[in-house]
Amino acid sequence: MSGNSIGRLFCVTSFGESHGPAIGCVVDGCPPGLTLAAADIQAELDRRKPGTSRHVTQRREPDAVEILSGVFEGVTTGTSIALLIRNQDQRSQDYGNIAERFRPGHADYTYWQKYGVRDHRGGGRASARETAVRVAAGAIARKWLRERFGIVIRGYMAQLGEVPVPFESWDEVGRNPFFAPNAGIVPELERYMDELRKSGDSIGARINVVASGVPVGWGEPVYERLDADLASAMMGINAVKGVEIGSGFACVTQRGTEHSDELTPAGFLTNHAGGVLGGISTGQDILVSMAIKPTSSIRLDRRSIDKSGAAVVVNTHGRHDPCVGIRATPIAEAMMAIVLMDHALRHRAQCADVVTTTPRIAGLAPDGRQQPPSPRD
Amino acid sequence: MSGNSIGRLFCVTSFGESHGPAIGCVVDGCPPGLTLAAADIQAELDRRKPGTSRHVTQRREPDAVEILSGVFEGVTTGTSIALLIRNQDQRSQDYGNIAERFRPGHADYTYWQKYGVRDHRGGGRASARETAVRVAAGAIARKWLRERFGIVIRGYMAQLGEVPVPFESWDEVGRNPFFAPNAGIVPELERYMDELRKSGDSIGARINVVASGVPVGWGEPVYERLDADLASAMMGINAVKGVEIGSGFACVTQRGTEHSDELTPAGFLTNHAGGVLGGISTGQDILVSMAIKPTSSIRLDRRSIDKSGAAVVVNTHGRHDPCVGIRATPIAEAMMAIVLMDHALRHRAQCADVVTTTPRIAGLAPDGRQQPPSPRD
Amino acid sequence: MSGNSIGRLFCVTSFGESHGPAIGCVVDGCPPGLTLAAADIQAELDRRKPGTSRHVTQRREPDAVEILSGVFEGVTTGTSIALLIRNQDQRSQDYGNIAERFRPGHADYTYWQKYGVRDHRGGGRASARETAVRVAAGAIARKWLRERFGIVIRGYMAQLGEVPVPFESWDEVGRNPFFAPNAGIVPELERYMDELRKSGDSIGARINVVASGVPVGWGEPVYERLDADLASAMMGINAVKGVEIGSGFACVTQRGTEHSDELTPAGFLTNHAGGVLGGISTGQDILVSMAIKPTSSIRLDRRSIDKSGAAVVVNTHGRHDPCVGIRATPIAEAMMAIVLMDHALRHRAQCADVVTTTPRIAGLAPDGRQQPPSPRD
Amino acid sequence: MSGNSIGRLFCVTSFGESHGPAIGCVVDGCPPGLTLAAADIQAELDRRKPGTSRHVTQRREPDAVEILSGVFEGVTTGTSIALLIRNQDQRSQDYGNIAERFRPGHADYTYWQKYGVRDHRGGGRASARETAVRVAAGAIARKWLRERFGIVIRGYMAQLGEVPVPFESWDEVGRNPFFAPNAGIVPELERYMDELRKSGDSIGARINVVASGVPVGWGEPVYERLDADLASAMMGINAVKGVEIGSGFACVTQRGTEHSDELTPAGFLTNHAGGVLGGISTGQDILVSMAIKPTSSIRLDRRSIDKSGAAVVVNTHGRHDPCVGIRATPIAEAMMAIVLMDHALRHRAQCADVVTTTPRIAGLAPDGRQQPPSPRD
């Protein structure tokens, strides 16, 4: 494989370019018997799709998904599931002027030097449009994880540029275009984005994702640890430049007495580990945070070179997100789901017969009550 | 595979427990014709080995490596290379008291619940002793990368607890037990560690790794990007909780005009991307930074539970590193080497026939001169 | 992955059911720069498609292929290539009577017990219709192998039931519906099939495939040998029950003096090895032969059971090939191409730098002349 | 990976050369909780080891195995299991005369042209000595399969050169050096081999392997079918040139009414399929047959070339098996075990939740009684 697949047992193989005929994927390894309809996937795609507010790209893509295989009479059959999303709004002319030059911060130069050929229309394969595929595949994983284990995966914007977004409530996340878990801060975010858009510049963001209800024991011990696979999945999202599990970089200045989470019969007292110890889930919430760089496509002048190596000036007037982090939350959730589902299958492959009499503890909720246990695992 | 292998074409499969008979690995996919002796690997192992200063564990392990296969008359043959390191200093009795209880911050609880059985001696498979294997395998990769492409991989400690370690010179890194690139700060680091050791507590650290001379074009476009694989490799090192590429989390507050690196005929003007765009190397230095949590084995009392679920108190009096970050630099370098070598082979598998007439640019050195080009690629 | 992918570096992931909306695949790892159009693939699909003579199924499928990604301006870009074939002639009603019972010789019982659910229409995923996907993907591989290395892959029917088909000429293969390399025997094959069809029964066949021009050195040494991968690829074709390389089962009664091919400066004197020694290509023709079982769908009564375990009688009146071997030749060629291309990429990943001064020898043509060397390798 | 690993979830990575310091492997993915001692593995190695009769090589190798990891207090821990076999009887001088020339029928020429370097001592990596590793790894798989599912894997010699060996009884197989299931024929086999040895020539053989008790449902649907993986595993054994499942090549002349096995409530009436339909096990015996070529190392003169391409004469006076098929039975059994165990884990990863109310049927014993069901699955 050449980098278009993710997962060993729940394996997603992606295809498609921003302005080609279609994008899509093949999802292999899904257990049979899961009820699945296009509407299940569409609901997730609609959360990510462009054009839903003035703060994101105005490209109009219905992102209508078609299930081509692997589902019969509304139920997965255990064979490979192909998902197809036709591209609709392909104004290739927007991109003609960048065919011969390399946009700073984009993959134009690296693709060209690697492959000697590239589909330059809208970034081609390197476009963030490919992330729709991840969301579609992730929708299958999160449905299975929820129905089989009661796992809930939720993300939110934790910071927009210089503006921290304090967590208040999961309920708010779906009520604003930023995925902000805080109603009071939305006006400030809107002002921030309106000013930014006028300036022609772009900005970064921080996204957090939490998986609740993951049983203890998922993950591998040395190289394909749960945290390593999560780091790979998140760093593999377009524009991500940093990933943290649990305390993340804050652990540099932590003492062992602070960082290592104590266990009690009622549960873990803290969750600096972020729900992973030795590469294996603890039963606590899985906590991941990531940094998303500012959009590289801006309409301000930037120095660059063209294919002949000559100096040029580039600015980009297409329809772009001034902060790609705004639409990143559903993508990060989807990647979390794909990784967890893969490890769910891997775990039971090797350890289906394991039983211990040791009670399974989880984390403690902020008010001291133990988190609700998974319905079954 | 169950998480003991890394790499697709340059593939390392690791084995061994802290207090079992031996640790080691099989390195598969190494190109034939590389001159290789045990001494080449030993040199790297000696940089990581315990007992070299009062600031690290006093366990005495010569870590003598034996090459069992894949090398004939001093040259790799292209077949699998097995490396064996016998364990010497196995004071299992040190660990008897933790067989029935779970040390906070360690993988004891997760291994037990996952596997229903564990080798509790010194952490067994979860011990950082396994990282010697990574250093050994990485020594092969870095030798090939250096000889074939002129690539140089170097790491250093960038922060110890609250003490930042400003970069001054690569020359200093090998002259102190901290891998600090700064001679003047070493006395402060020593005082810091002496006080910490007296307190019985432990501390985190930040490690940076840089690869210079990597050609443009290595990496994959979507899921197994070079940055994603580096994130996985680094997050998979024991105790790592965060990984950054280039600007990392600083990009959250950066504007696009600041972050996206401009190109000129003389080279990239900055390297916020950390040498990777769209998952593919740019020809600039590859910049990775990681957070290492404080050692979980401390001799202060910590609450925990035992196998029956009952509350217990744990403290650990074995021989431990009060800051595992101190010996982490050679490990991080080795992981960088393994990932890069894997991608070197993957790249030429698919793209060996690619030629472009576009000049290859690299980064600019701080003084404005272009970085020296690779000898060949 | 769950058995819908083949190849490590040139990797084909297949999807689709016989009577679902579509079949297709994603081809990942194709080198960039290959000129490729749908017509290149269509030409191979047309060789396999049903309804071309009275001796095969009368299902009418145009098998029109659409390239959804990975090709831009007529050239492969190095990213994943998605191929889509919409199903047209889906008379599901033909199959309604077998939804609750298991057809002998088919995968009905095994799919049902494995997955607990199955798409019973026309065999669903287990239908030989899936082999169109292999032919489509194989068309890409054989085009690259031919253009890059001058490799020619050709197959033919070597036996139909009790009727051996002596090899006379490659030229004849494309001139009759049996892929018989012998014009004189075609009337006998037609009579044989006409009688068989009247009887309502079905028959087996033997197919041979030859790859010429494969350079010495492709393949792996122990487990993923070239011959092992070929055996897997061929045994994985629906209905194949036996695979031979070179002399195959004839070697059971051969002496070492007969079997092991002598080398001379002019070339190998014989090719009992079938072009593979120690898992690695010799430079001679690669010779593979396979046995294809009689079609399981016949209109004669057969005993079976239904989902409740009760005894039933099954006969199948749909549109079926009375000898699936007749259309198997293009499929076997395609599988050969996929395996060879995968090993071409794997070989240069590890061994791109190898040079020896030893002359490369090939086989000797039947008249004693050496086979023409590959244009380059 | 470069061809030294087999299996996706139960994964064996092999290393070692015939005359290097050691051979061995890492077995990854074994479920935890299996009781395992070196003696379990040694018992299987002793069945394969050389020097046990005058009909096989007189090389003396105790093949003593050491378990280096993955087992603690007599039980597998779920982490990687390393097995080490030191080479003892390394008379490298026997092989000095073939360092510069290529033995016909061996991998000498192909290794040399592929890698540009080879360990020529006794065939190096291409030596059948590597098969000891397979037997060792297979011993773990067969122990787990037997204890967990009641699966029994047994093989036997079915033909030695022109001498068919009719099956009479499993009991006889272990009582003669040929693994012949027939006491009466052993004197004839001994005479045959004595004459052959005098002649200096070698001969081929046919080996059959049967797995009983495999539950219905193991295997994958399209490319990594159970039969395809078995074909790969068997063709990957040194000297194998042909593989059959069930009826194998006999199906070429079979009618559908003969070949496709009818089902009844009491079980399948026949087993032409060899226990696999659509790539998935049926619950009947898995039947595999393979052809093993005559040993290439013979002491008769053979034409060849040397490294300069010049004509030479080669004959081989080392200690060789005149029929490598004689010791092949334990190897073939081991490969069967490895493949089955891998699919056992793969199956439960995806389909652990599947239940059907359809009774599970198996084959019928020759006397009409149904085969005993598996103890559990």
Side-chain angles (χ1 to χ4, degrees), chain B residues 1-2 4 8 14-15 17 21 28-29 32 66 68-70 72 76-77 79-80 82 86 115 117-118 121 125, chain D residues 1-2 4 8 14-15 17 21 28-29 32 66 68-70 72 76-77 79-80 82 86 115 117-118 121 125:
Chain B
M1 280 153 292
S2 289
N4 295 294
R8 289 197 176 268
S14 158
F15 65 86
E17 283 80 46
D28 198 9
E66 181 185 9
L68 294 176
S69 67
F72 182 59
T76 59
T77 62
T79 63
S80 46
R86 292 275 176 186
Y115 297 117
V117 58
R118 71 183 173 104
R121 302 165 303 168
R125 182 71 179 142
Chain D
M1 282 152 289
S2 290
N4 295 294
R8 287 198 176 268
S14 159
F15 66 84
E17 283 80 47
D28 198 11
E66 180 184 10
L68 295 177
S69 67
F72 181 59
T76 59
T77 61
T79 62
S80 46
R86 292 275 177 186
Y115 297 117
V117 58
R118 70 185 173 103
R121 301 166 302 167
R125 183 71 179 141

Side-chain angles (χ1 to χ4, degrees), chain C residues 7 43 48 64 74 162 166 176 207-208 214 240 245 275 281 287 318-319 336:
Chain C
R48 190 214 74 107
E162 299 84 357
N176 62 77
I207 305 295
N208 291 351
V214 177
V240 171
I245 308 286
S281 62
L287 308 177
R319 300 156 298 167
M336 173 81 92

